[in-house]
Amino acid sequence: EVQLVESGGGLVKPGGSLRLSCVASGFTFSDYSMNWVRQAPGKGLEWVSSITSSSTYTYYADSVKGRFTVSRDNAKNSLYLQMNSLRVEDTAIYYCASLLTAAGPFEYWGQGTLVTVSS
Amino acid sequence: DIQVTQSPSPLSASIGDRVTITCRASQSISTYLNWYQQKPGEGPKLLIYGASSLQGGVPSRFSGSGSGTDFTLTISSLQPDDSATYYCQQSYGKPYTFGQGTMLEI
């Protein structure tokens, strides 16, 4: 059974930092590009970041560029998102999602972890 | 960036109805259009990829069509379990973008 399990969310003050993790099982993690997608409370989905299977390339939405860093450890089947200089508008549920090919769909999704940025 | 616009929202329908949700892209994206279903408290679930290919395990009452800029998701005979929010997403280029979602009420 495919599973993606996110963790690391919580309450943080504006300007603070947080590191999210996503552990994968049930599929060949190293074959897939991995992504972070977020959803603000009561809102739609927003792609945040992508990292290729061997970590060769990383991509970011303009809204997080320069503040967030995506990384992965294929030996641990794990994906990470280091979030710095957090803003109130970063408050959202953060999902990790797998992507087999660059133009393909997000095939597998986790259940999400909630990040709340508030003073 | 490629904008993706969905309609209608919300949508109210009855059991057994045929339901259609549309998605329009701001430029041609060939068939690089995917559909997801999201229920409260859950992550999205892939339904349709490449505009018309049914993801494994998804009931055959779901179908997708379209190419270029105009796409549709059709549910042929609405079931109670189909109550959810539906999103389209373009995978033609980064940044990947989603429609604003269609909340389907039964």
Side-chain angles (χ1 to χ4, degrees):
Chain A
E1 179 195 5
V2 171
Q3 276 199 310
L4 291 170
V5 180
E6 302 94 336
S7 61
L11 175 63
V12 61
K13 288 182 168 51
S17 297
L18 213 53
R19 189 193 194 211
L20 306 183
S21 299
C22 169
V23 178
S25 60
F27 66 102
T28 307
F29 181 74
S30 58
D31 283 347
Y32 285 73
S33 291
M34 293 299 296
N35 296 259
W36 290 98
V37 177
R38 67 184 180 183
Q39 186 170 37
K43 302 296 185 183
L45 300 166
E46 179 190 16
W47 171 79
V48 172
S49 181
S50 181
I51 184 168
T52 54
S53 57
S54 300
S55 304
T56 304
Y57 300 103
T58 58
Y59 305 91
Y60 300 93
D62 286 346
S63 57
V64 306
K65 200 172 293 183
R67 301 187 298 122
F68 290 11
T69 302
V70 63
S71 62
R72 65 190 293 164
D73 184 339
N74 286 346
K76 295 182 178 179
N77 283 358
S78 293
L79 173 73
Y80 307 102
L81 186 67
Q82 178 67 43
M83 303 186 296
N84 298 331
S85 303
L86 281 161
R87 304 168 179 169
V88 170
E89 55 265 35
D90 295 320
T91 294
I93 297 171
Y94 285 73
Y95 298 99
C96 63
S98 66
L99 186 68
L100 185 58
T101 61
F106 298 120
E107 188 174 358
Y108 307 126
W109 295 70
Q111 86 292 344
T113 186
L114 176 62
V115 172
T116 303
V117 185
S118 173
S119 55
Chain B
D1 297 359
I2 299 172
Q3 308 303 317
V4 180
T5 304
Q6 262 181 261
S7 62
S9 188
L11 174 60
S12 184
S14 301
I15 301 300
D17 282 356
R18 180 182 182 87
V19 167
T20 298
I21 299 169
T22 64
C23 184
R24 174 164 287 177
S26 59
Q27 66 181 71
S28 178
I29 57 171
S30 184
T31 57
Y32 295 106
L33 192 285
N34 312 298
W35 292 95
Y36 303 88
Q37 177 193 66
Q38 186 180 31
K39 296 182 178 181
E42 298 181 4
K45 172 188 172 184
L46 176 64
L47 297 177
I48 301 285
Y49 62 95
S52 61
S53 295
L54 192 68
Q55 175 69 348
V58 174
S60 58
R61 62 180 180 273
F62 291 92
S63 64
S65 65
S67 66
T69 60
D70 294 315
F71 303 87
T72 60
L73 172 69
T74 300
I75 308 173
S76 60
S77 179
L78 203 59
Q79 299 301 304
D81 189 51
D82 300 336
S83 178
T85 300
Y86 294 83
Y87 293 93
C88 59
Q89 175 245 336
Q90 65 81 18
S91 52
Y92 183 82
K94 298 181 183 67
Y96 301 120
T97 46
F98 293 84
Q100 71 272 33
T102 294
M103 184 181 295
L104 175 57
E105 303 168 341
I106 301 176

